[in-house]
């Protein structure tokens, strides 16, 4: 039970930082909390491909909102070098 509370708290904290306005909309929610199936959204049932797609979307959205590699890493709870490795591995171009 405590794990679920921490997960919800983490999601809410992310929403506060990443939301475009004072209102939280469905598109602001993490993919796993939206009603649309990941299989439909990604067009894949391959777990590795789904994970790559989800990671890419999360990183890109955090970058759009924060625009700073250190802040994105901190918000995602990972080290800066880990984020850079993920960006390179996923072939993301962040502008």
């Amino acid at each position: 039970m405590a794990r679920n509370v921490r997960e919800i708290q983490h999601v809410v904290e992310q929403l506060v930082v990443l939301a475009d306005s004072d209102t939280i909309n469905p598109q602001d929610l993490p993919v796993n909390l939206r009603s649309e199936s990941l299989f439909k959204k990604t067009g894949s049932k391959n777990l590795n491909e789904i994970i790559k797609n989800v990671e890419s979307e999360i990183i890109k959205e955090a970058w759009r909102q924060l625009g700073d590699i250190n802040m994105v890493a901190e918000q995602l709870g990972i080290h800066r070098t880990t984020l850079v490795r993920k960006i390179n591995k996923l072939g993301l171009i962040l502008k």
Side-chain angles (χ1 to χ4, degrees):
M1 181 76 165
R3 179 175 175 243
N4 291 335
V5 172
R6 282 193 295 271
E7 288 175 9
I8 292 169
Q9 183 180 19
H10 181 69
V11 168
V12 170
E13 288 171 356
Q14 284 186 319
L15 290 172
V16 168
V17 171
L18 299 177
D20 291 331
S21 67
D22 291 338
T23 304
I24 296 172
N25 299 302
Q27 66 268 18
D28 298 323
L29 294 171
V31 176
N32 65 325
L33 296 180
R34 297 181 196 166
S35 60
E36 187 177 355
S37 167
L38 280 176
F39 297 133
K40 289 179 185 176
K41 182 173 178 137
T42 62
S44 175
K45 291 187 179 181
N46 179 299
L47 181 59
N48 289 328
E49 197 61 37
I50 291 170
I51 291 170
K52 286 179 186 177
N53 289 337
V54 170
E55 280 187 329
S56 293
E57 289 303 313
I58 290 170
I59 292 169
K60 288 189 289 189
E61 182 60 27
W63 180 260
R64 278 192 289 272
Q65 295 295 320
L66 302 169
D68 177 80
I69 197 79
N70 294 316
M71 291 174 66
V72 171
E74 182 179 335
Q75 177 61 35
L76 297 178
I78 59 177
H79 194 275
R80 182 184 179 281
T81 56
T82 301
L83 177 59
V84 170
R85 275 195 302 272
K86 284 184 178 289
I87 290 168
N88 292 334
K89 182 179 178 184
L90 296 167
L92 299 177
I93 298 173
L94 306 174
K95 295 182 179 184

